[in-house]
Short mmCIF file of all heavy atoms in Angstrom, two decimals:
data_model
loop_
_atom_site.label_atom_id
_atom_site.label_comp_id
_atom_site.label_asym_id
_atom_site.label_seq_id
_atom_site.Cartn_x
_atom_site.Cartn_y
_atom_site.Cartn_z
N HIS R 1 -11.53 -0.96 4.43
CA HIS R 1 -10.41 0.00 4.47
C HIS R 1 -10.94 1.43 4.42
O HIS R 1 -10.34 2.33 5.04
CB HIS R 1 -9.46 -0.26 3.28
CG HIS R 1 -8.24 0.58 3.30
ND1 HIS R 1 -7.32 0.51 4.30
CD2 HIS R 1 -7.79 1.50 2.41
CE1 HIS R 1 -6.33 1.34 4.07
NE2 HIS R 1 -6.60 1.97 2.92
N LYS R 2 -12.04 1.63 3.78
CA LYS R 2 -12.63 2.98 3.67
C LYS R 2 -13.13 3.47 5.01
O LYS R 2 -12.97 4.67 5.33
CB LYS R 2 -13.80 2.93 2.66
CG LYS R 2 -14.58 4.23 2.55
CD LYS R 2 -15.74 4.09 1.60
CE LYS R 2 -16.60 5.36 1.54
NZ LYS R 2 -17.77 5.19 0.64
N HIS R 3 -13.68 2.58 5.83
CA HIS R 3 -14.34 3.00 7.07
C HIS R 3 -13.47 2.83 8.31
O HIS R 3 -13.61 3.58 9.27
CB HIS R 3 -15.65 2.22 7.25
CG HIS R 3 -16.72 2.58 6.28
ND1 HIS R 3 -17.43 3.76 6.37
CD2 HIS R 3 -17.18 1.93 5.18
CE1 HIS R 3 -18.30 3.82 5.37
NE2 HIS R 3 -18.18 2.75 4.65
N PHE R 4 -12.60 1.80 8.31
CA PHE R 4 -11.85 1.49 9.52
C PHE R 4 -10.41 1.14 9.18
O PHE R 4 -10.06 0.94 8.02
CB PHE R 4 -12.52 0.33 10.26
CG PHE R 4 -13.94 0.60 10.64
CD1 PHE R 4 -14.96 0.03 9.90
CD2 PHE R 4 -14.26 1.46 11.65
CE1 PHE R 4 -16.29 0.28 10.21
CE2 PHE R 4 -15.57 1.74 11.99
CZ PHE R 4 -16.60 1.15 11.24
N ARG R 5 -9.61 1.03 10.21
CA ARG R 5 -8.21 0.70 9.99
C ARG R 5 -8.02 -0.80 9.84
O ARG R 5 -8.32 -1.56 10.74
CB ARG R 5 -7.36 1.20 11.15
CG ARG R 5 -5.88 0.90 10.96
CD ARG R 5 -5.02 1.39 12.09
NE ARG R 5 -3.64 0.98 11.94
CZ ARG R 5 -2.68 1.21 12.80
NH1 ARG R 5 -2.95 1.88 13.91
NH2 ARG R 5 -1.46 0.79 12.58
N LEU R 6 -7.52 -1.21 8.68
CA LEU R 6 -7.10 -2.59 8.52
C LEU R 6 -5.77 -2.76 9.26
O LEU R 6 -4.78 -2.12 8.92
CB LEU R 6 -6.95 -2.92 7.03
CG LEU R 6 -8.24 -2.93 6.19
CD1 LEU R 6 -7.91 -3.21 4.72
CD2 LEU R 6 -9.22 -3.95 6.71
N HIS R 7 -5.80 -3.60 10.24
CA HIS R 7 -4.64 -3.71 11.15
C HIS R 7 -3.67 -4.81 10.75
O HIS R 7 -2.47 -4.64 10.75
CB HIS R 7 -5.18 -3.97 12.56
CG HIS R 7 -4.13 -4.19 13.61
ND1 HIS R 7 -3.07 -3.33 13.79
CD2 HIS R 7 -3.99 -5.19 14.51
CE1 HIS R 7 -2.33 -3.82 14.77
NE2 HIS R 7 -2.84 -4.91 15.23
N VAL R 8 -4.22 -5.97 10.39
CA VAL R 8 -3.39 -7.14 10.08
C VAL R 8 -4.03 -7.97 8.97
O VAL R 8 -5.23 -8.20 8.98
CB VAL R 8 -3.21 -8.03 11.34
CG1 VAL R 8 -2.49 -9.35 10.97
CG2 VAL R 8 -2.43 -7.32 12.44
N TRP R 9 -3.21 -8.41 8.03
CA TRP R 9 -3.60 -9.48 7.13
C TRP R 9 -3.18 -10.77 7.81
O TRP R 9 -2.00 -10.98 8.07
CB TRP R 9 -2.89 -9.34 5.77
CG TRP R 9 -3.21 -8.08 5.05
CD1 TRP R 9 -2.32 -7.04 4.74
CD2 TRP R 9 -4.47 -7.67 4.53
NE1 TRP R 9 -2.97 -6.04 4.10
CE2 TRP R 9 -4.31 -6.40 3.94
CE3 TRP R 9 -5.76 -8.25 4.52
CZ2 TRP R 9 -5.35 -5.70 3.34
CZ3 TRP R 9 -6.78 -7.56 3.89
CH2 TRP R 9 -6.58 -6.30 3.31
N ASP R 10 -4.12 -11.61 8.10
CA ASP R 10 -3.84 -12.83 8.88
C ASP R 10 -3.86 -14.03 7.93
O ASP R 10 -4.93 -14.46 7.48
CB ASP R 10 -4.93 -12.98 9.96
CG ASP R 10 -4.59 -14.00 11.01
OD1 ASP R 10 -3.54 -14.63 10.89
OD2 ASP R 10 -5.39 -14.18 11.93
N ILE R 11 -2.70 -14.56 7.61
CA ILE R 11 -2.56 -15.65 6.65
C ILE R 11 -2.23 -16.93 7.36
O ILE R 11 -1.29 -17.01 8.14
CB ILE R 11 -1.45 -15.32 5.62
CG1 ILE R 11 -1.73 -14.02 4.90
CG2 ILE R 11 -1.28 -16.48 4.64
CD1 ILE R 11 -0.60 -13.53 4.02
N THR R 12 -3.02 -17.98 7.08
CA THR R 12 -2.74 -19.32 7.60
C THR R 12 -2.21 -20.13 6.41
O THR R 12 -2.95 -20.41 5.47
CB THR R 12 -3.98 -19.98 8.17
OG1 THR R 12 -4.51 -19.16 9.25
CG2 THR R 12 -3.65 -21.36 8.73
N ALA R 13 -0.94 -20.46 6.45
CA ALA R 13 -0.28 -21.14 5.34
C ALA R 13 -0.38 -22.64 5.52
O ALA R 13 -0.08 -23.18 6.58
CB ALA R 13 1.16 -20.70 5.25
N ASN R 14 -0.78 -23.32 4.45
CA ASN R 14 -0.75 -24.78 4.46
C ASN R 14 -0.09 -25.27 3.19
O ASN R 14 0.16 -24.51 2.26
CB ASN R 14 -2.18 -25.37 4.61
CG ASN R 14 -3.04 -25.16 3.38
OD1 ASN R 14 -2.86 -25.84 2.36
ND2 ASN R 14 -4.00 -24.23 3.46
N VAL R 15 0.20 -26.56 3.12
CA VAL R 15 1.00 -27.12 2.04
C VAL R 15 0.31 -26.95 0.68
O VAL R 15 0.99 -26.94 -0.36
CB VAL R 15 1.33 -28.60 2.32
CG1 VAL R 15 0.10 -29.47 2.16
CG2 VAL R 15 2.48 -29.08 1.45
N LEU R 16 -1.01 -26.81 0.66
CA LEU R 16 -1.73 -26.70 -0.59
C LEU R 16 -1.98 -25.27 -1.05
O LEU R 16 -2.45 -25.03 -2.16
CB LEU R 16 -3.05 -27.46 -0.50
CG LEU R 16 -2.92 -28.97 -0.21
CD1 LEU R 16 -4.31 -29.60 -0.02
CD2 LEU R 16 -2.17 -29.67 -1.34
N SER R 17 -1.68 -24.33 -0.16
CA SER R 17 -1.86 -22.90 -0.52
C SER R 17 -0.57 -22.11 -0.55
O SER R 17 -0.52 -21.01 -1.11
CB SER R 17 -2.80 -22.23 0.49
OG SER R 17 -2.19 -22.13 1.78
N VAL R 18 0.49 -22.66 0.02
CA VAL R 18 1.73 -21.88 0.27
C VAL R 18 2.37 -21.40 -1.03
O VAL R 18 3.06 -20.38 -1.03
CB VAL R 18 2.72 -22.72 1.13
CG1 VAL R 18 3.33 -23.88 0.33
CG2 VAL R 18 3.79 -21.82 1.71
N ARG R 19 2.16 -22.13 -2.13
CA ARG R 19 2.81 -21.70 -3.37
C ARG R 19 2.21 -20.43 -3.94
O ARG R 19 2.83 -19.72 -4.73
CB ARG R 19 2.70 -22.86 -4.40
CG ARG R 19 3.68 -23.97 -4.11
CD ARG R 19 3.27 -25.30 -4.72
NE ARG R 19 3.04 -25.27 -6.18
CZ ARG R 19 3.98 -25.38 -7.11
NH1 ARG R 19 5.23 -25.52 -6.75
NH2 ARG R 19 3.66 -25.35 -8.40
N SER R 20 0.97 -20.08 -3.55
CA SER R 20 0.35 -18.85 -4.04
C SER R 20 0.53 -17.67 -3.09
O SER R 20 0.21 -16.55 -3.45
CB SER R 20 -1.16 -19.09 -4.28
OG SER R 20 -1.87 -19.04 -3.06
N ILE R 21 1.04 -17.94 -1.92
CA ILE R 21 1.08 -16.88 -0.89
C ILE R 21 2.03 -15.76 -1.20
O ILE R 21 1.72 -14.58 -0.92
CB ILE R 21 1.34 -17.53 0.50
CG1 ILE R 21 0.06 -18.27 0.94
CG2 ILE R 21 1.70 -16.47 1.54
CD1 ILE R 21 0.20 -19.01 2.25
N PRO R 22 3.21 -15.99 -1.75
CA PRO R 22 4.08 -14.83 -2.10
C PRO R 22 3.36 -13.83 -3.03
O PRO R 22 3.51 -12.62 -2.82
CB PRO R 22 5.24 -15.50 -2.81
CG PRO R 22 5.37 -16.84 -2.16
CD PRO R 22 3.94 -17.27 -1.96
N LYS R 23 2.60 -14.30 -4.00
CA LYS R 23 1.87 -13.38 -4.88
C LYS R 23 0.83 -12.60 -4.08
O LYS R 23 0.67 -11.37 -4.31
CB LYS R 23 1.19 -14.15 -6.00
CG LYS R 23 0.50 -13.29 -7.04
CD LYS R 23 -0.06 -14.07 -8.21
CE LYS R 23 -0.71 -13.13 -9.24
NZ LYS R 23 -1.22 -13.90 -10.40
N LEU R 24 0.17 -13.26 -3.15
CA LEU R 24 -0.80 -12.57 -2.30
C LEU R 24 -0.13 -11.48 -1.47
O LEU R 24 -0.60 -10.33 -1.43
CB LEU R 24 -1.45 -13.58 -1.36
CG LEU R 24 -2.28 -13.00 -0.20
CD1 LEU R 24 -3.51 -12.27 -0.72
CD2 LEU R 24 -2.68 -14.09 0.79
N ILE R 25 1.00 -11.81 -0.86
CA ILE R 25 1.69 -10.84 -0.02
C ILE R 25 2.20 -9.64 -0.80
O ILE R 25 2.09 -8.48 -0.36
CB ILE R 25 2.85 -11.55 0.75
CG1 ILE R 25 2.28 -12.55 1.74
CG2 ILE R 25 3.73 -10.54 1.46
CD1 ILE R 25 3.32 -13.39 2.44
N LYS R 26 2.72 -9.87 -2.00
CA LYS R 26 3.19 -8.77 -2.83
C LYS R 26 2.03 -7.83 -3.15
O LYS R 26 2.19 -6.61 -3.11
CB LYS R 26 3.78 -9.32 -4.13
CG LYS R 26 5.13 -10.03 -3.93
CD LYS R 26 5.60 -10.66 -5.26
CE LYS R 26 6.83 -11.48 -5.07
NZ LYS R 26 7.24 -12.16 -6.34
N PHE R 27 0.85 -8.40 -3.44
CA PHE R 27 -0.32 -7.57 -3.71
C PHE R 27 -0.70 -6.76 -2.49
O PHE R 27 -1.01 -5.55 -2.59
CB PHE R 27 -1.49 -8.45 -4.15
CG PHE R 27 -2.82 -7.78 -4.09
CD1 PHE R 27 -3.20 -6.92 -5.09
CD2 PHE R 27 -3.70 -7.99 -3.01
CE1 PHE R 27 -4.44 -6.24 -5.02
CE2 PHE R 27 -4.91 -7.33 -2.96
CZ PHE R 27 -5.29 -6.46 -3.97
N LEU R 28 -0.70 -7.38 -1.32
CA LEU R 28 -1.09 -6.68 -0.08
C LEU R 28 -0.13 -5.57 0.22
O LEU R 28 -0.51 -4.46 0.62
CB LEU R 28 -1.16 -7.68 1.08
CG LEU R 28 -2.23 -8.77 0.97
CD1 LEU R 28 -2.11 -9.76 2.11
CD2 LEU R 28 -3.64 -8.17 0.89
N TRP R 29 1.15 -5.79 0.07
CA TRP R 29 2.15 -4.76 0.30
C TRP R 29 2.00 -3.57 -0.65
O TRP R 29 2.15 -2.43 -0.25
CB TRP R 29 3.57 -5.35 0.17
CG TRP R 29 4.04 -6.12 1.37
CD1 TRP R 29 3.52 -6.02 2.64
CD2 TRP R 29 5.10 -7.06 1.42
NE1 TRP R 29 4.21 -6.87 3.49
CE2 TRP R 29 5.18 -7.52 2.77
CE3 TRP R 29 5.97 -7.57 0.48
CZ2 TRP R 29 6.12 -8.46 3.17
CZ3 TRP R 29 6.91 -8.51 0.89
CH2 TRP R 29 6.99 -8.96 2.21
N GLU R 30 1.71 -3.86 -1.92
CA GLU R 30 1.55 -2.81 -2.92
C GLU R 30 0.26 -1.99 -2.69
O GLU R 30 0.25 -0.78 -2.86
CB GLU R 30 1.55 -3.40 -4.30
CG GLU R 30 2.91 -3.99 -4.72
CD GLU R 30 2.80 -4.76 -6.03
OE1 GLU R 30 1.71 -4.83 -6.61
OE2 GLU R 30 3.83 -5.32 -6.47
N THR R 31 -0.81 -2.70 -2.32
CA THR R 31 -2.14 -2.06 -2.21
C THR R 31 -2.39 -1.44 -0.86
O THR R 31 -3.03 -0.38 -0.74
CB THR R 31 -3.24 -3.09 -2.52
OG1 THR R 31 -2.91 -3.80 -3.73
CG2 THR R 31 -4.58 -2.40 -2.70
N TYR R 32 -1.90 -2.08 0.20
CA TYR R 32 -2.11 -1.61 1.58
C TYR R 32 -0.77 -1.60 2.31
O TYR R 32 -0.50 -2.41 3.21
CB TYR R 32 -3.11 -2.53 2.30
CG TYR R 32 -4.43 -2.69 1.60
CD1 TYR R 32 -4.68 -3.78 0.78
CD2 TYR R 32 -5.43 -1.75 1.74
CE1 TYR R 32 -5.90 -3.92 0.12
CE2 TYR R 32 -6.65 -1.88 1.09
CZ TYR R 32 -6.87 -2.98 0.28
OH TYR R 32 -8.08 -3.11 -0.37
N PRO R 33 0.12 -0.70 1.94
CA PRO R 33 1.49 -0.72 2.47
C PRO R 33 1.61 -0.53 3.98
O PRO R 33 2.62 -0.89 4.58
CB PRO R 33 2.17 0.43 1.72
CG PRO R 33 1.07 1.32 1.27
CD PRO R 33 -0.08 0.42 1.01
N ASP R 34 0.57 0.06 4.60
CA ASP R 34 0.65 0.33 6.03
C ASP R 34 0.08 -0.79 6.91
O ASP R 34 0.08 -0.71 8.13
CB ASP R 34 -0.08 1.63 6.35
CG ASP R 34 0.54 2.83 5.70
OD1 ASP R 34 1.78 2.83 5.51
OD2 ASP R 34 -0.17 3.78 5.35
N VAL R 35 -0.43 -1.85 6.25
CA VAL R 35 -1.06 -2.96 7.01
C VAL R 35 -0.08 -4.09 7.22
O VAL R 35 0.58 -4.54 6.28
CB VAL R 35 -2.31 -3.46 6.26
CG1 VAL R 35 -3.01 -4.53 7.09
CG2 VAL R 35 -3.28 -2.30 5.97
N LYS R 36 0.02 -4.50 8.45
CA LYS R 36 0.96 -5.56 8.81
C LYS R 36 0.51 -6.92 8.26
O LYS R 36 -0.70 -7.21 8.21
CB LYS R 36 1.09 -5.62 10.33
CG LYS R 36 2.06 -6.66 10.86
CD LYS R 36 2.32 -6.47 12.35
CE LYS R 36 1.07 -6.53 13.18
NZ LYS R 36 1.34 -6.41 14.64
N VAL R 37 1.46 -7.74 7.84
CA VAL R 37 1.14 -9.11 7.37
C VAL R 37 1.65 -10.09 8.42
O VAL R 37 2.82 -10.07 8.81
CB VAL R 37 1.81 -9.40 6.02
CG1 VAL R 37 1.56 -10.84 5.62
CG2 VAL R 37 1.28 -8.46 4.94
N GLN R 38 0.74 -10.92 8.88
CA GLN R 38 1.09 -11.96 9.88
C GLN R 38 0.81 -13.30 9.24
O GLN R 38 -0.24 -13.51 8.59
CB GLN R 38 0.24 -11.77 11.13
CG GLN R 38 0.62 -12.71 12.26
CD GLN R 38 -0.21 -12.36 13.52
OE1 GLN R 38 -1.35 -12.82 13.66
NE2 GLN R 38 0.38 -11.60 14.42
N ILE R 39 1.70 -14.27 9.42
CA ILE R 39 1.54 -15.56 8.80
C ILE R 39 1.88 -16.66 9.80
O ILE R 39 2.76 -16.51 10.63
CB ILE R 39 2.40 -15.67 7.52
CG1 ILE R 39 2.14 -16.97 6.78
CG2 ILE R 39 3.88 -15.49 7.84
CD1 ILE R 39 2.73 -16.99 5.38
N ARG R 40 1.13 -17.76 9.70
CA ARG R 40 1.38 -18.91 10.59
C ARG R 40 1.10 -20.18 9.81
O ARG R 40 0.31 -20.16 8.85
CB ARG R 40 0.48 -18.83 11.80
CG ARG R 40 -0.98 -18.74 11.45
CD ARG R 40 -1.85 -18.45 12.65
NE ARG R 40 -3.22 -18.09 12.23
CZ ARG R 40 -4.17 -17.73 13.04
NH1 ARG R 40 -3.96 -17.72 14.34
NH2 ARG R 40 -5.37 -17.42 12.60
N PRO R 41 1.70 -21.30 10.22
CA PRO R 41 1.47 -22.53 9.49
C PRO R 41 0.34 -23.36 10.13
O PRO R 41 0.04 -23.24 11.31
CB PRO R 41 2.80 -23.27 9.67
CG PRO R 41 3.26 -22.84 11.05
CD PRO R 41 2.78 -21.41 11.22
N VAL R 42 -0.28 -24.22 9.30
CA VAL R 42 -1.18 -25.21 9.83
C VAL R 42 -0.34 -26.34 10.42
O VAL R 42 0.54 -26.88 9.75
CB VAL R 42 -2.10 -25.79 8.72
CG1 VAL R 42 -2.89 -26.98 9.22
CG2 VAL R 42 -3.04 -24.71 8.22
N ILE R 43 -0.62 -26.69 11.68
CA ILE R 43 0.16 -27.79 12.32
C ILE R 43 -0.74 -28.84 12.92
O ILE R 43 -0.26 -29.83 13.48
CB ILE R 43 1.11 -27.21 13.39
CG1 ILE R 43 0.29 -26.45 14.48
CG2 ILE R 43 2.18 -26.33 12.80
CD1 ILE R 43 1.11 -26.00 15.66
N ASN R 44 -2.05 -28.66 12.81
CA ASN R 44 -2.96 -29.59 13.49
C ASN R 44 -3.85 -30.38 12.53
O ASN R 44 -4.85 -30.95 12.95
CB ASN R 44 -3.83 -28.82 14.50
CG ASN R 44 -4.67 -27.74 13.83
OD1 ASN R 44 -4.54 -27.48 12.65
ND2 ASN R 44 -5.51 -27.08 14.61
#
């Protein structure tokens, strides 16, 4: 973040991690408010 623009937080959500993801996203929004959050599910 110091040297370059953080453009996207890229989150891959799966059934074993999804319960912790809201806490992660809240932290990212508070710490890096200008960085977009993108999320997708594991399907394969």
Side-chain angles (χ1 to χ4, degrees):
H1 186 62
K2 175 183 176 182
H3 291 285
F4 303 103
R5 180 179 175 184
L6 293 177
H7 176 51
V8 173
W9 300 114
D10 193 358
I11 302 172
T12 302
N14 71 74
V15 72
L16 299 175
S17 68
V18 71
R19 284 158 55 85
S20 79
I21 288 176
K23 185 175 181 179
L24 168 66
I25 292 174
K26 289 175 186 176
F27 165 78
L28 296 175
W29 280 341
E30 291 171 1
T31 312
Y32 304 97
D34 296 329
V35 184
K36 181 167 60 176
V37 176
Q38 185 177 83
I39 186 168
R40 56 189 168 183
V42 171
I43 58 174
N44 59 355

